[in-house]
């Protein structure tokens, strides 16, 4: 077992680009904490019956905005994990947090808890970007929280968004340089994407905000990779950069196909054969848990599903896609199909094969997801 993901479905306000499951009403927060604790208890046998389970290696609080919970509530949920599961000696325990929740006092509180890694949603150090995205914090709060957090936490990640309409290359470079100035050992960076049911999509459709430009996003991505690699960051996953020994253990486990348990509304779980996901509705989740019913759906992954997931995650990481593993785990038919589909990308220098590992070239990195989708097996089972 790799880890436990705990989804906290609350936010102070809705960011314009976000399509994750959350509520801006905190009325049911206390009930939700107790329900999440109960789901942890209800599902403990899933690991006890797994002969490969050697202990929980990571606990990750995501959302939503997990930092809206009090430190006491966070510690209570961590204690519930320890009460019902075997946990390795030094697990990675991450809290996603927003700058407006990280006052100096709160950071000190968290440093005394079992949380040993912070993932801070900065997104941008510029006020106009934060207003456009409807973030709850301002630029001053972003910089102040990082200055304080680095005094108490060694393992910190921050998020930055590129491809924002109107953002110049110079402005993007300033964002990266500001992040680097705090000595942060891990940076996650994503292109601004327009999801169908978001406020951002509506603002673009009504002409209030310009549509993100793919060419600008690709330029920003190239600047990001070049700048971070020049500062000793390892580009270990398409959107993630870490210094040596600071890769996210939680996220790396997802990409390497390890098993994980997702707790809370909308959370997903994976055990290598089955994938399940909880209902994305707070009220229905609470009602179901109170009635001792797990509110999830389960899907049996076909060979093609597992192949597709491995290709997608493998191409996004420095570990690539092992052609030997493709043949051993999925069979010669899949290997032949992959080689046939990949040939045009090999010819165009977008993919390369070294030591029987298929990877994107520097030229192909930005196009990884599109390339991966073209390598998928479709409707073979």
């Amino acid at each position: 077992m790799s880890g436990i993901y705990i989804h906290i479905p609350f936010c102070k306000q809705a960011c314009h680009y976000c399509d994750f499951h959350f509520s801006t009403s905190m009325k049911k927060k206390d009930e939700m904490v107790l329900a999440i604790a109960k789901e942890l208890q209800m599902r403990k046998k899933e690991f006890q019956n797994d002969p490969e389970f050697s202990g929980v290696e990571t606990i990750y609080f995501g959302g939503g905005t997990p930092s809206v919970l009090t430190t006491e509530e966070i510690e209570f949920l961590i204690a519930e994990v320890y009460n019902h599961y075997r946990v390795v000696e030094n697990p990675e325990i991450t809290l996603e947090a927003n700058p407006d929740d990280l006052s100096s006092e709160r950071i000190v509180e968290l440093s005394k808890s079992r949380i040993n890694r912070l993932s801070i949603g900065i997104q941008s150090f510029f006020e106009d970007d934060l207003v456009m995205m409807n973030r709850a914090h301002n630029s001053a709060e972003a910089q102040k929280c990082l200055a304080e957090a680095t005094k108490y936490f060694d393992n910190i990640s921050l998020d930055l968004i590129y491809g924002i309409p109107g953002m110049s290359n110079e402005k993007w470079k300033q964002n990266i340089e500001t992040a680097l100035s705090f000595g942060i050992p891990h940076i996650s960076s994503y292109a601004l994407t327009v999801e169908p049911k978001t406020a951002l999509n509506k603002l673009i459709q009504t002409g209030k905000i310009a549509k993100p430009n793919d060419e600008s996003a690709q330029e920003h991505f190239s600047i990001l990779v070049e700048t971070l690699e020049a500062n000793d960051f390892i580009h270990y996953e398409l959107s993630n950069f870490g210094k040596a020994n600071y890769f996210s253990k939680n996220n790396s486990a997802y990409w390497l196909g390890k098993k994980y348990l997702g707790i809370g509304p909308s959370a997903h779980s994976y055990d290598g054969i089955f994938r399940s996901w909880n209902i994305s509705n707070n009220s229905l989740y609470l009602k179901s848990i109170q009635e001792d019913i797990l509110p999830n759906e389960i899907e049996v992954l076909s060979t093609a599903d597992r192949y597709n997931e491995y290709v997608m995650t493998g191409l996004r990481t420095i570990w690539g896609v092992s052609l030997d593993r493709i043949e051993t785990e999925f069979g010669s038919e899949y290997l032949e199909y992959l080689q046939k589909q990949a040939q045009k990308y090999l010819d165009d220098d977008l993919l390369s094969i070294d030591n029987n590992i298929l990877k994107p070239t520097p030229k192909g990195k930005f196009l990884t997801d599109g390339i991966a989708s073209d390598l998928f097996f479709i409707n073979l089972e």
Side-chain angles (χ1 to χ4, degrees):
M1 169 55 198
S2 164
I4 294 177
Y5 170 85
I6 299 174
H7 188 84
I8 306 301
F10 301 106
C11 290
K12 289 180 181 176
Q13 62 190 52
C15 298
H16 285 161
Y17 57 84
C18 183
D19 71 339
F20 292 153
H21 172 68
F22 66 91
S23 169
T24 54
S25 169
M26 303 288 171
K27 289 180 182 178
K28 296 181 179 178
K29 184 163 75 76
D30 294 347
E31 283 180 73
M32 184 62 68
V33 169
L34 293 175
I36 286 172
K38 185 174 179 181
E39 187 187 354
L40 280 166
Q41 183 176 357
M42 291 169 70
R43 299 184 67 181
K44 63 184 180 181
K45 289 184 180 178
E46 292 180 33
F47 293 166
Q48 292 173 351
N49 297 332
D50 183 353
E52 297 179 1
F53 177 61
S54 58
V56 174
E57 299 166 4
T58 64
I59 303 170
Y60 191 100
F61 289 87
T65 311
S67 54
V68 301
L69 296 189
T70 66
T71 304
E72 291 75 17
E73 287 168 333
I74 293 166
E75 288 189 294
F76 165 69
L77 291 175
I78 295 172
E80 286 298 289
V81 174
Y82 274 83
N83 287 341
H84 300 294
Y85 300 83
R86 185 163 67 255
V87 181
V88 300
E89 189 173 346
N90 294 302
E92 176 188 88
I93 306 181
T94 302
L95 177 73
E96 287 185 356
N98 279 350
D100 45 296
D101 293 322
L102 293 178
S103 64
S104 299
E105 296 76 18
R106 184 73 193 284
I107 290 168
V108 172
E109 265 185 21
L110 289 170
S111 72
K112 295 175 181 177
S113 74
R114 281 171 159 155
I115 295 291
N116 53 32
R117 184 174 183 270
L118 294 178
S119 178
I120 305 176
I122 300 293
Q123 314 309 356
S124 177
F125 290 100
F126 290 94
E127 209 65 51
D128 58 332
D129 295 337
L130 297 172
V131 170
M132 186 277 288
M133 291 185 279
N134 200 39
R135 295 291 291 167
H137 70 276
N138 58 42
S139 178
E141 286 174 320
Q143 300 197 46
K144 182 182 177 184
C145 88
L146 288 175
E148 288 297 308
T150 50
K151 294 176 184 177
Y152 297 93
F153 285 87
D154 170 60
N155 199 352
I156 297 175
S157 177
L158 63 80
D159 289 354
L160 292 176
I161 290 179
Y162 60 87
I164 295 172
M167 177 182 276
S168 66
N169 288 349
E170 188 54 43
K171 186 177 180 182
W172 175 233
K173 287 177 186 176
Q174 288 180 47
N175 256 335
I176 301 169
E177 293 297 340
T178 302
L180 290 173
S181 71
F182 290 98
I184 302 297
H186 189 282
I187 293 175
S188 297
S189 191
Y190 308 89
L192 182 67
T193 55
V194 185
E195 301 296 343
K197 297 180 181 180
T198 59
L200 177 61
N201 186 49
K202 189 170 183 180
L203 290 166
I204 289 171
Q205 287 181 339
T206 55
K208 294 179 181 176
I209 293 177
K211 186 178 179 181
N213 180 280
D214 289 343
E215 188 176 319
S216 294
Q218 188 162 0
E219 288 179 10
H220 291 173
F221 179 77
S222 297
I223 291 167
L224 176 72
V225 173
E226 181 181 345
T227 306
L228 293 186
E229 288 185 341
N231 282 273
D232 300 321
F233 282 79
I234 300 166
H235 189 193
Y236 72 103
E237 193 272 342
L238 186 63
S239 302
N240 287 271
F241 303 77
K243 293 199 170 179
N245 301 316
Y246 285 97
F247 294 2
S248 167
K249 292 179 182 178
N250 176 80
N251 293 350
S252 295
Y254 294 159
W255 303 318
L256 290 170
K258 293 188 179 181
K259 301 174 184 180
Y260 58 89
L261 186 65
I263 303 292
S266 82
H268 284 231
S269 303
Y270 173 72
D271 73 354
I273 299 173
F274 298 96
R275 184 175 302 286
S276 66
W277 54 95
N278 286 347
I279 192 167
S280 297
N281 180 299
N282 287 1
S283 295
L284 294 179
Y285 171 85
L286 289 170
K287 183 175 184 292
S288 185
I289 293 293
Q290 287 161 3
E291 294 173 355
D292 299 318
I293 299 169
L294 289 175
N296 62 11
E297 292 184 52
I298 299 173
E299 172 189 19
V300 180
L301 298 176
S302 67
T303 302
D305 291 332
R306 291 186 289 108
Y307 162 89
N308 290 344
E309 290 198 8
Y310 176 52
V311 169
M312 171 62 82
T313 55
L315 284 186
R316 288 181 63 98
T317 70
I318 58 172
W319 302 290
V321 174
S322 166
L323 300 185
D324 293 334
R325 178 178 167 185
I326 292 289
E327 185 169 27
T328 301
E329 195 168 318
F330 305 106
S332 58
E333 183 184 5
Y334 282 83
L335 177 61
E336 290 167 10
Y337 178 84
L338 175 61
Q339 291 172 324
K340 179 183 176 183
Q341 292 297 104
Q343 191 57 54
K344 60 186 174 183
Y345 298 108
L346 292 165
D347 293 341
D348 292 340
D349 192 33
L350 297 173
L351 292 176
S352 66
I353 297 176
D354 187 29
N355 293 323
N356 237 20
I357 301 293
L358 181 70
K359 291 182 181 181
T361 62
K363 179 181 170 184
K365 276 186 177 180
F366 185 74
L367 305 172
T368 296
D369 287 348
I371 294 171
S373 67
D374 200 26
L375 306 182
F376 287 172
F377 241 49
I378 307 297
N379 297 326
L380 293 183
E381 294 191 0

